[in-house]
Amino acid sequence: MEVTKAVIPAAGFGTRFLPVTKAQPKEMMPVLDKPTIQYVVEEAVEAGIDDILIITGRGKQAIERHFDKSYELEEELAADGKLDRLDRVQDIADLADIHYVRQKEREGLGDAVLYARKHVGDEPFALLLGDTIIENETPCTESLVAAAEAHDSSVLSLERVPWEDVPSYGVADTDEVDPSADSFPVNDFVEKPPRDEAPSNLAITGRYVLTSEIFELLEATEKGVGGELQLTDAIRKLDTVRGVELDGDRYDIGNIPSWLQANVEMALKHDDGEINAAVKAFLEERAE
């Protein structure tokens, strides 16, 4: 089993960020000086994957433009001698081989994943949600790929969330987790259960490695919660599924508090000392 392709769904409306997402994709919301989806693409590349399919929707052309070459901008930067900025702009277009397909109807994450079938074929693939940033010493997708290839199995990233937040997630039913293992078997998943019915607080975090079997299972799955085709419902039917407990920081850029948190915390870790100092000074001033 070798994982060489990644799929990034990026077709949602981003209603929690309206009105800014009326004309701008939520995946293009900036975190510091980069749009969210660039962090996601970079994570896939860091895992050794450079064949990436982004599933877009109506009004998402800005995503394609961002990863395309910009001749006029590059010429102007070169003429102005802004070579450091020129390098950064050129690096974006050279990140990976990026392909696009448009989801015609927004009918859930499972429906979006089905659009990847022709591109992926019979191969396993990494799936990264386009509105979620995960900061970790070892890229989350790299850990999932290693576990998937080692165990010849689909693998999901899981995170312990506060119990009051469990009804917002798909959660895992699993035996006791061995923290020293690279991954652990998962018995079942439940999509957005009431808190008192949840088997655990281990929530799916938006990173997966899936075998191509998932496509047939999605085709055979009926619409579930919210009248949408739920990916979790199909994952439950896979023969074997393993989990990797997230060790890092996850930011859901689909909601304002998490987006603000991402900007502040990532600024404090930024390799630009001037940015670090400015944000730290602002926070200290506000705390007084």
Side-chain angles (χ1 to χ4, degrees):
M1 181 174 177
E2 184 181 7
V3 181
T4 63
K5 294 181 179 179
V7 175
I8 302 177
F13 281 117
T15 53
R16 289 177 294 174
F17 245 114
L18 285 170
V20 68
T21 49
K22 180 177 181 290
Q24 172 177 291
K26 65 176 178 177
E27 297 82 7
M28 289 298 293
M29 289 295 297
V31 175
L32 301 181
D33 56 353
K34 293 191 290 190
T36 298
I37 197 167
Q38 184 174 333
Y39 290 96
V40 180
V41 169
E42 288 172 345
E43 181 185 325
V45 171
E46 288 169 359
I49 301 172
D50 62 1
D51 184 343
I52 298 172
L53 175 68
I54 299 180
I55 301 165
T56 65
R58 181 175 174 271
K60 299 279 186 167
Q61 296 89 339
I63 295 174
E64 297 183 33
R65 290 196 297 269
H66 179 71
F67 291 106
D68 198 3
K69 192 171 181 64
S70 178
Y71 293 98
E72 297 84 355
L73 176 59
E74 291 180 19
E75 288 177 2
E76 180 138 347
L77 290 172
D80 291 345
K82 299 176 179 177
L83 302 184
D84 56 337
R85 299 183 187 181
L86 174 62
D87 288 341
R88 298 188 68 188
V89 168
Q90 290 176 330
D91 287 345
I92 295 170
D94 295 334
L95 271 173
D97 295 327
I98 301 179
H99 315 268
Y100 302 91
V101 63
R102 178 175 290 195
Q103 184 182 15
K104 296 179 177 64
E105 300 288 341
R106 292 178 170 95
E107 297 186 339
L109 178 58
D111 179 69
V113 172
L114 274 174
Y115 279 80
R117 189 170 194 171
K118 287 185 179 180
H119 186 83
V120 169
D122 295 329
E123 300 179 40
F125 63 101
L127 178 69
L128 304 86
L129 299 193
D131 61 357
T132 302
I133 294 174
I134 296 180
E135 288 280 293
N136 200 6
E137 186 172 339
T138 299
C140 181
T141 298
E142 182 178 328
S143 298
L144 297 185
V145 168
E149 293 180 346
H151 297 277
D152 197 25
S153 169
S154 294
V155 181
L156 280 65
S157 174
L158 303 171
E159 179 186 24
R160 294 194 184 276
V161 300
W163 281 98
E164 59 269 24
D165 294 341
V166 161
S168 299
Y169 292 91
V171 298
D173 179 358
T174 184
D175 298 328
E176 186 175 348
V177 176
D178 180 358
S180 65
D182 68 335
S183 60
F184 48 86
V186 177
N187 304 319
D188 199 0
F189 291 94
V190 183
E191 181 66 25
K192 299 181 179 178
R195 174 175 175 170
D196 57 354
E197 297 178 15
S200 76
N201 65 335
L202 279 170
I204 301 172
T205 62
R207 296 293 187 270
Y208 317 68
V209 171
L210 300 170
T211 61
S212 61
E213 179 189 1
I214 195 67
F215 297 121
E216 290 185 9
L217 296 175
L218 281 167
E219 291 278 12
T221 299
E222 295 183 357
K223 292 180 181 179
V225 175
E228 297 182 337
L229 184 56
Q230 298 291 343
L231 177 62
T232 304
D233 291 342
I235 289 174
R236 296 178 64 193
K237 302 175 187 177
L238 288 167
D239 290 335
T240 59
V241 181
R242 299 184 69 83
V244 172
E245 189 167 354
L246 177 65
D247 179 21
D249 297 315
R250 178 179 62 89
Y251 304 106
D252 175 6
I253 308 303
N255 71 78
I256 293 174
S258 186
W259 172 72
L260 290 170
Q261 182 182 356
N263 276 279
V264 172
E265 292 185 356
M266 291 173 68
L268 292 173
K269 296 183 290 186
H270 200 283
D271 55 11
D272 186 325
E274 186 175 339
I275 291 177
N276 293 347
V279 174
K280 186 176 181 180
F282 170 77
L283 293 175
E284 290 175 347
E285 180 181 336
R286 297 295 295 179
E288 293 177 356

